[in-house]
Amino acid sequence: MLVSNQKKATMKNSIKYSIICISLYLGVVSCETDFDNPNAATEEQTFSSREGILATAVGLQQLFSTTGVRWIVETPAITTREGGITTTFQNMIELEDGGATLPNFNSNVQGLWSTMLRVIKIAEDIEANTATIELESGTQSGLIAHAKLFKAMAIGSLAQNYEQVIVETSNNNDATFVSRNEGFLTAITLLNEASSQLSSNAASDEFTDAITLGNIDLENTILAMTARYNLFAGNYDAAIAAANSVDLNSTSVFAYDSQNLNPIWARVFQNDAPNFKPRDNFGLPAEFVFDAADGRLAFYLVALDETNQNGLPIEDLAGFFNVNTGSLPVYIPDEMNLIIAEANLRQGTPNLAAATAALDEVLTDTDDPFEVNANVAAYAGDNTVDALLIEVLRNRRSELFLTGMSLEDSRRFDRPQPSGAAMNYDEERNRNFYPYPDLERNSNPNTPADPSI
């Protein structure tokens, strides 16, 4: 997406300022020793001016789209066999081995947790301080909706990977844990509040020019996440309604540049020894058959006929991930059709016709705005709930490849349970949930017991 030179300069200046702002939060959820930095902005300075709060919002978006997306995508990808490791780094070995012995100090387990809590904290502070600064009403509205969106996505990402989650931070290191389902419900509430905020007062041009630069369609992204988390929470009517409200011709992307690289490219292509590569068949077992003409195979995967050090077949990666500054979709439009299909199948009275119609929209797609086009024949399998759910899962894995939802999907579709034994590479997933990081357990007395697997 092209932006003017003036907007690019504004973005770069905001990003430089936001790095200072983000540094305020790095110790909030960590047990690491804090050291005074005489050059760092204080929280009071950060939230005392229009420039400070706008820069903080840019930093929030930057933190989520770079560090956050790395952990969101990479961590469950290895657990669910979307990717196979190609490195000797211990954190990646531990993830691919999995099992009951996955350590609490694994850097992926810790990175995903701590980064999402940082996002939550920054979003909370933006919302709390926006009203204290003189801003255009549309700029204030945009900042609040933007903060609620990113807080919701951070909570939703935690709830997809951990059995219990934190939805409100605490400066006293005693944040309360809630069930993952309550986490999804909290995210939905935040998204509904964000939608109401924008309905009452649309985001200003000042907000767009300073924060999203036209890359993120705030309204449609909020609706898309509302549909996603309602599905995960089992609110099927609400999921269908939200998904139907999304404009499928609209796109939202995380944009990258030479200073802020595509985080998945950086993990797969940046070094001579990449950290992981995608598994063939999108990591699904052979029973999930793909038409050789399915355009998503060629979009995402490049045949290698190689295996990694543990004998897992791997491919090269394409799609959104093979250009160092290539944008990543915040969501893929056809996720909405897959949500509609699945929710119709899981309702108390399944609607097979509606589910099949939505599924066919995905299978026969030729004009996806991101060019993720299956372009194959409509569904012709058994007209049963079980058969259609398997088809939905097959298409979720291929359509939404490396979007961070594979572990949530694997559990929700009742795929085979992991045994708990490490290094069982035949398993579709090697964990159900991740253990809670040491950095949380060592500082927060409310940290629950780890899940057994």
Side-chain angles (χ1 to χ4, degrees), residues 142-285:
L143 283 167
I144 292 172
H146 183 262
K148 286 180 181 291
L149 168 63
F150 277 85
K151 182 176 178 180
M153 289 195 295
I155 293 170
S157 297
L158 289 175
Q160 290 174 66
N161 293 287
Y162 299 89
E163 199 170 34
Q164 296 186 51
V165 300
I166 289 170
V167 297
E168 295 287 342
T169 63
S170 168
N171 290 330
N172 297 320
N173 291 326
D174 61 354
T176 301
F177 281 72
V178 301
S179 70
R180 57 187 296 271
N181 196 66
E182 189 170 339
F184 288 135
L185 296 178
T186 301
I188 292 163
T189 297
L190 288 164
L191 293 165
N192 289 337
E193 291 171 353
S195 287
S196 296
Q197 184 77 38
L198 295 177
S199 295
S200 300
N201 200 345
S204 66
D205 289 342
E206 177 186 47
F207 167 82
T208 301
D209 292 346
I211 310 300
T212 61
L213 295 171
N215 292 319
I216 295 177
D217 181 330
L218 205 55
E219 292 87 347
N220 276 294
T221 302
I222 290 166
L223 287 169
M225 296 301 149
T226 303
R228 177 184 294 179
Y229 298 137
N230 270 299
L231 175 71
F232 294 168
N235 300 330
Y236 301 126
D237 288 340
I240 292 168
N244 275 321
S245 298
V246 176
D247 179 357
L248 299 188
N249 293 312
S250 173
T251 60
S252 290
V253 300
F254 293 128
Y256 301 98
D257 58 27
S258 60
Q259 301 302 309
N260 300 278
L261 298 174
N262 179 310
I264 309 308
W265 175 88
R267 301 296 288 167
V268 176
F269 294 102
Q270 187 170 29
N271 302 313
D272 292 335
N275 289 275
F276 73 95
K277 289 192 175 185
R279 292 278 310 277
D280 65 357
N281 212 45
F282 301 105
L284 289 171

Side-chain angles (χ1 to χ4, degrees), residues 278 282 295-302 315-322 329 332 370 372-373 396-403:
F282 301 105
R296 297 166 300 189
L297 289 165
F299 182 85
Y300 285 116
L301 304 175
V302 179
E315 311 280 17
D316 253 338
L317 185 60
F320 306 110
F321 311 110
N322 60 356
I332 292 173
F370 290 117
V372 186
N373 295 311
R396 282 187 67 87
R397 180 63 72 93
S398 54
E399 188 80 16
L400 312 178
F401 190 56
L402 295 179
T403 55

Side-chain angles (χ1 to χ4, degrees), residues 417-434:
Q417 286 281 333
S419 65
M423 297 182 288
N424 187 345
Y425 303 121
D426 293 329
E427 294 185 307
E428 286 186 40
R429 68 176 187 268
N430 61 35
R431 293 280 310 188
N432 284 330
F433 298 99
Y434 296 115

